[in-house]
Amino acid sequence: NAGVTQTPKFQVLKTGQSMTLQCAQDMNHNSMYWYRQDPGMGLRLIYYSASEGTTDKGEVPNGYNVSRLNKREFSLRLESAAPSQTSVYFCASSAGLLSGSQETQYFGPGTRLLVL
Amino acid sequence: GESVGLHLPTLSVQEGDNSIINCAYSNSASDYFIWYKQESGKGPQFIIDIRSNMDKRQGQRVTVLLNKTVKHLSLQIAATQPGDSAVYFCAENIGGGADGLTFGKGTHLIIQP
């Protein structure tokens, strides 16, 4: 199992450009999450999807949109990138409440985004 | 302020010694806690978790202690090795919801040879 995979690994954008960060998991997990991590900070939740077909805002959703394409895939889109969105983005997944199991989240390797 | 935080941003220990990383939380409704290890350039890696109905849980070379009275969580690493160098985050989940975890800022564990 690859676990949680993310593409791309690195990206440089100009202000105003758009892009989509891709995430996929092969653990048959119900819930998926997008976090951002800034220097010296913990991870902050952007959006999450508790189950296929649902998405909800997290702590810092402004400037982002998400799509839960299917059970495996959860993408994060920046419609008009801003320098404040320079960060490392992590996708995570968990079995979720629907499975009745614990909420342990498993993380991907991250996407490093620089917005100029 | 953040619900979950750490007492020290950097902890330096001698190889072979035990390490103790501390975490304070402020939300008494938190019922599930996780410790993650993050190596440079990688995503957080699950280490160990504990539910609020427990005081202690042990894994391989790691122990998590939960003191609900003072809202304190600690991670103990026995016989610290060079490979333990990383940033350690505690995270909490409130009420078992699937709405993500709240993370502290992290403690950087440095292993001295």
Side-chain angles (χ1 to χ4, degrees):
Chain A
N1 287 350
V4 180
T5 57
Q6 293 183 235
T7 55
K9 287 186 169 54
F10 303 96
Q11 185 71 48
V12 179
L13 293 177
K14 295 180 180 178
T15 296
Q17 287 185 315
S18 62
M19 78 161 295
T20 300
L21 282 66
Q22 306 288 352
C23 174
Q25 52 90 10
D26 62 2
M27 296 175 281
N28 199 34
H29 282 171
N30 291 304
S31 301
M32 298 185 73
Y33 311 83
W34 275 105
Y35 292 88
R36 61 177 287 172
Q37 184 177 39
D38 300 300
M41 302 278 289
L43 288 88
R44 292 183 292 169
L45 183 65
I46 304 171
Y47 269 93
Y48 67 99
S49 172
S51 61
E52 187 179 355
T54 68
T55 61
D56 286 284
K57 295 179 180 179
E59 181 186 354
V60 289
N62 291 345
Y64 305 95
N65 284 300
V66 291
S67 294
R68 183 74 183 267
L69 304 171
N70 47 55
K71 191 172 185 179
R72 289 188 65 247
E73 299 172 288
F74 188 38
S75 63
L76 178 72
R77 182 160 178 84
L78 286 69
E79 289 292 350
S80 179
S84 61
Q85 294 178 304
T86 293
S87 189
V88 182
Y89 291 84
F90 289 100
C91 178
S93 71
S94 69
L97 296 179
L98 293 180
S99 72
S101 60
Q102 294 180 347
E103 298 83 14
T104 305
Q105 294 182 19
Y106 299 90
F107 285 80
T111 293
R112 283 145 185 82
L113 176 66
L114 173 63
V115 183
L116 302 174
Chain B
E2 289 191 345
S3 174
V4 178
L6 294 170
H7 294 310
L8 297 173
T10 302
L11 177 65
S12 182
V13 299
Q14 292 291 126
E15 183 178 348
D17 287 352
N18 296 336
S19 302
I20 299 176
I21 301 171
N22 296 304
C23 180
Y25 65 96
S26 58
N27 195 326
S28 57
S30 297
D31 62 356
Y32 180 61
F33 304 88
I34 307 174
W35 281 101
Y36 284 95
K37 172 185 180 183
Q38 187 175 25
E39 296 174 282
S40 181
K42 296 183 179 180
Q45 177 186 2
F46 171 85
I47 302 174
I48 192 168
D49 59 0
I50 188 168
R51 293 203 171 277
S52 59
N53 60 355
M54 301 171 70
D55 297 323
K56 178 179 179 180
R57 192 168 189 212
Q58 288 184 290
Q60 188 175 14
R61 276 203 311 120
V62 295
T63 301
V64 55
L65 299 177
L66 176 62
N67 186 329
K68 295 179 286 293
T69 302
V70 295
K71 298 190 184 70
H72 184 266
L73 191 69
S74 68
L75 176 70
Q76 301 178 4
I77 304 173
T80 311
Q81 302 169 358
D84 294 328
S85 288
V87 176
Y88 290 81
F89 293 95
C90 62
E92 64 179 331
N93 183 264
I94 300 171
D99 55 352
L101 299 168
T102 300
F103 284 81
K105 288 186 172 60
T107 293
H108 187 193
L109 179 63
I110 298 172
I111 311 304
Q112 304 282 2

